[in-house]
Amino acid sequence: MNISLAGEVILVTGASRGIGAEIAKTLGLAGATIAGTATSEEGASKITEFFNKENISGLGYKLDVSKADDCAAVLSEIAQSHGPITTLVNNAGITRDNLLMRMKEDQWDDIMDTNLKSVYRLSKLVCRNMMKARSGKIINLTSVVGFMGNAGQSNYAAAKAGIVGFSKSLARELGGRNINVNCVAPGFIDTEMTQGLAEDQKKTLINQVPLARLGEVTDIAHAVLFLASNLSTYITGSTIHVNGGMLME
Ligand code: NAP
């Protein structure tokens, strides 16, 4: 069965690298028009170049999701170029790891602003048109850490768990308008976010994974593709766990 996203306009935040880049590529190759974001003009241009090379319809945009004005401005730019956003993928995320006793307030605040408040902000901005259209999908990237906790990541785990509660509430608010709100919770995936880990930390992690490997970005993009497609229209308020069996929910 071929999954077609033709006619969809999809915003993927943090599409310059890692999981977001693969999500943008996968959804674009399925026929959607993609607005992919990076935090720099250079990153945005590279996204546009990549889309052109792959014959994907869409453009790269510069966006800092922690800035309210940026979000509103970029969303109206996207709407002018491509029409209203039909699917939002909140993927952009950062880590600011530290043990609680050493965690500075700005490490806590950076994570809340970039990883959690951005999801509130962008969802609110796309929601109006989706409600009018009586259709739409919001897909939020959470993490296995939001479910299990992780020493040194109390800020990140709190934001990722917050995304799950937010998504369930929004799914209840918007279900009557035929808008699906779901999460994908990656385990440990091989990206720049995990490449900074020491070899012995990686080995310890892999020992906790029944499938005995880190995940690939494609593993996550495929779950997002399913949630973005009409194969998942009766799923809302749910989380798809993609973690090699590390956490069985
Ligand atoms: P990554 O490789 O570090 O890439 C992060 C992306 O987010 C980049 O495109 C980056 O843009 C963008 N970004 C960072 N700060 C931003 C901001 N303030 N505004 C807008 N965009 C911003 O991360 P990843 O590993 O692909 O992770 C993607 C998502 O999956 C995140 O939400 C992460 O928490 C989640 N996740 C990842 C893993 C994992 O093992 N990798 C596990 C669980 C969950 P620039 O390139 O311009 O900096």
Side-chain angles (χ1 to χ4, degrees):
M1 184 191 297
N2 277 337
I3 296 179
S4 172
L5 299 180
E8 304 293 333
V9 177
I10 304 185
L11 168 57
V12 182
T13 64
S16 51
R17 53 197 165 91
I19 292 170
E22 190 62 27
I23 292 171
K25 178 180 168 192
T26 303
L27 303 184
L29 290 177
T33 294
I34 310 291
T37 79
T39 57
S40 65
E41 288 295 355
E42 194 197 351
S45 303
K46 281 194 180 147
I47 292 173
T48 303
E49 276 167 36
F50 179 75
F51 287 175
N52 288 340
K53 190 173 101 222
E54 296 284 332
N55 261 331
I56 289 170
S57 156
L59 291 170
Y61 293 84
K62 177 179 180 285
L63 172 66
D64 180 344
V65 294
S66 68
K67 295 197 173 125
D69 293 350
D70 259 33
C71 291
V74 169
L75 259 75
S76 76
E77 232 185 291
I78 295 169
Q80 273 170 21
S81 302
H82 312 294
I85 290 161
T86 61
T87 295
L88 165 65
V89 182
N90 281 307
N91 166 79
I94 55 168
T95 50
R96 294 281 183 272
D97 298 352
N98 219 337
L99 296 172
L100 180 68
M101 293 308 287
R102 293 190 197 139
M103 190 177 288
K104 304 274 191 307
E105 289 230 357
D106 63 344
Q107 292 179 310
W108 177 269
D109 291 342
D110 282 357
I111 290 293
M112 291 303 151
D113 280 352
T114 305
N115 292 7
L116 182 58
K117 196 167 181 186
S118 64
V119 175
Y120 144 80
R121 184 175 281 144
L122 288 168
S123 301
K124 194 170 170 188
L125 283 166
V126 298
C127 218
R128 188 182 295 273
N129 276 321
M130 288 182 180
M131 286 169 78
K132 247 195 254 163
R134 292 193 163 268
S135 117
K137 289 174 188 286
I138 298 176
I139 302 163
N140 297 322
L141 272 287
T142 173
S143 169
V144 70
V145 165
F147 292 82
M148 292 177 71
N150 197 18
Q153 290 198 308
S154 58
N155 51 357
Y156 182 82
K160 291 301 187 184
I163 286 176
V164 176
F166 171 85
S167 304
K168 288 180 180 176
S169 304
L170 197 58
R172 289 185 189 277
E173 288 182 24
L174 300 179
R177 299 292 183 113
N178 192 34
I179 299 167
N180 305 65
V181 187
N182 290 295
C183 295
V184 173
F188 288 97
I189 309 301
D190 192 9
T191 69
E192 282 176 36
M193 199 174 262
T194 47
Q195 276 154 16
L197 294 172
E199 273 316 305
D200 58 329
Q201 278 177 301
K202 269 193 202 167
K203 267 194 197 141
T204 313
L205 278 179
I206 290 170
N207 282 339
Q208 301 167 48
V209 179
L211 289 176
R213 64 171 176 88
L214 290 182
E216 303 290 335
V217 287
T218 48
D219 294 320
I220 306 306
H222 292 159
V224 173
L225 175 63
F226 170 67
L227 289 175
S229 78
N230 60 14
L231 294 179
S232 58
T233 48
Y234 201 52
I235 300 176
T236 198
S238 287
T239 297
I240 300 186
H241 291 269
V242 186
N243 59 36
M246 184 180 174
L247 174 75
M248 299 185 186
E249 284 273 303

